[in-house]
Amino acid sequence: MQWIQARVTQETNFYGKCTPVDLVKKYGSPLYVYNERILRERCQDIKRLIKDPDFIVNYSAKANSNLALLKIVKDEGCYVDAMSPGEIHVQLQAGFKPEQILYIGNNVSPAEMEYVINQGIPVSVDSLSQLELYGKVSPYSNVVVRFNTGVGAGHHHKVVTGGDKTKFGIETAFIPEVKAILNKYHLRLSGINQHIGSLFMDTDSYISGVQALLDVAFQFPDLEFIDLGGGFGIPYHKYENEPRLDLAALSEKMSKVLTDWVIQYGKKIKFKVEPGRYLVAECGILLGTVHTIKTNYHTKYVGTDIGFNVLMRPVLYNSHHDIELYRSSNALSRNQEAVTIVGNICESGDIIAADRKLPKIFEEDIIGVLDAGAYGYSMASNYNNRLRPAEVLITSHGDDLLIRRRETLEDLVRHF
Ligand code: LLP
């Protein structure tokens, strides 16, 4: 096999004892491949963010809820966030205890609220109306409230979840109303949380958000924990040597802010964060196969089996993913050329990478879409009645292990 463009995976020994060409031969294409060592390293990185034995990393499992990956995250000592009964179901199967799950609901039905409370899972509510509902279903109990302190950040407006243009959280002006509902139903506010948005590389906005949430916390003297949110970014432009998020600098800034705050609050408290992408994005690569190369009106299209049913991020957010290239034939790529890499879905927007300069690509080449572990499979669909791919883990020993089978045509008619 020729590693035509593969610097990043070669440097990290991503494929262990396997090669991408052999993996596709064995498991088919397209194929999600995850690296266990990298996943464990990322969990350990983020656990060092706050140097306090009570610090908890709640993995936001919407980024990737494959059972095998959840078990690894649990093994690394993280807890989890859930957004739906489905996520709870999978997390319980992965071995998380109810008290290790935080349910961060948004517009949930009374039945769903009851289901979560009956499982013994702590619930965070993010509107006055949902706080009322919680009080009705479970008076005389603990509750968590998600605030929107007005600070927002993110890689795209669709994923900014704090500030004045989003449906999330309770704005701080409503703190008196929150207190009134807590009193009315004899609820104890055991925790507060926020999430300002997804993917920051510059830590200033996160720190502003932390400070704003800590200010809110002063209004509630009996808290057990404060959950500071997720959003920690990863470098998607590795081929341009984009620097990593400086977690050490962030850790230093946060330690100072949190230590000063604890002195003023006068009570020891648990701090949590809820990262999704940071833990799983870089441990995942999506492999696909080039089936057609054509030129239409001066644009050279590389036609693959990676439709946006398999990876939606480029279409939904115009997101960049680096591309690697692997080849089983002896063909040589002496020059680079600009190509547009597309999938097999019948929409013109089905583009993975537009006008990307890469070594000359041939039919049957294997493409690797990097940093696809977060919001890849978890956002995949059956659009065009395409099947969702298999998922394979490269274990810490470098071996390949199937962790979810490819869907079959039968799966498409299972519910009829
Ligand atoms: N906590 C809450 C309440 C969230 O809503 C999210 C993400 C997270 C934590 C984790 O955020 P992260 O650390 O992964 O940035 N599909 C988009 C991202 C959507 C994020 C939704 N909420 C993407 O592919 O970029």
Side-chain angles (χ1 to χ4, degrees), residues 25 30 33 35 56 69 86 92 110 146 149 152 158 166 172 202 206 210 214-215 235 249 251 269 324 341 356 389 409:
K25 265 193 205 128
V33 184
N35 181 294
I56 294 170
L69 302 191
L92 291 172
R146 175 174 179 176
T149 58
K158 287 180 183 163
T166 160
T172 47
D202 150 25
Y206 194 74
V210 168
L214 293 176
D215 282 346
S251 166
I269 199 167
E324 290 203 345
I341 303 179
R356 190 73 65 86
L409 294 175

Side-chain angles (χ1 to χ4, degrees), residues 21-73:
V21 165
D22 286 345
L23 287 168
V24 165
K25 265 193 205 128
K26 184 165 171 185
Y27 297 104
S29 177
L31 180 71
Y32 274 100
V33 184
Y34 303 104
N35 181 294
E36 177 177 356
R37 180 179 38 81
I38 296 175
L39 174 58
R40 288 186 184 277
E41 279 169 15
R42 293 299 173 265
C43 294
Q44 289 157 19
D45 288 351
I46 212 93
K47 282 182 72 186
R48 284 193 287 267
L49 183 66
I50 297 177
K51 287 169 193 60
D52 175 344
D54 284 342
F55 172 53
I56 294 170
V57 174
N58 265 1
Y59 167 54
S60 187
K62 61 178 74 71
N64 190 320
S65 51
N66 181 290
L67 199 54
L69 302 191
L70 283 175
K71 285 180 181 168
I72 295 170
V73 169

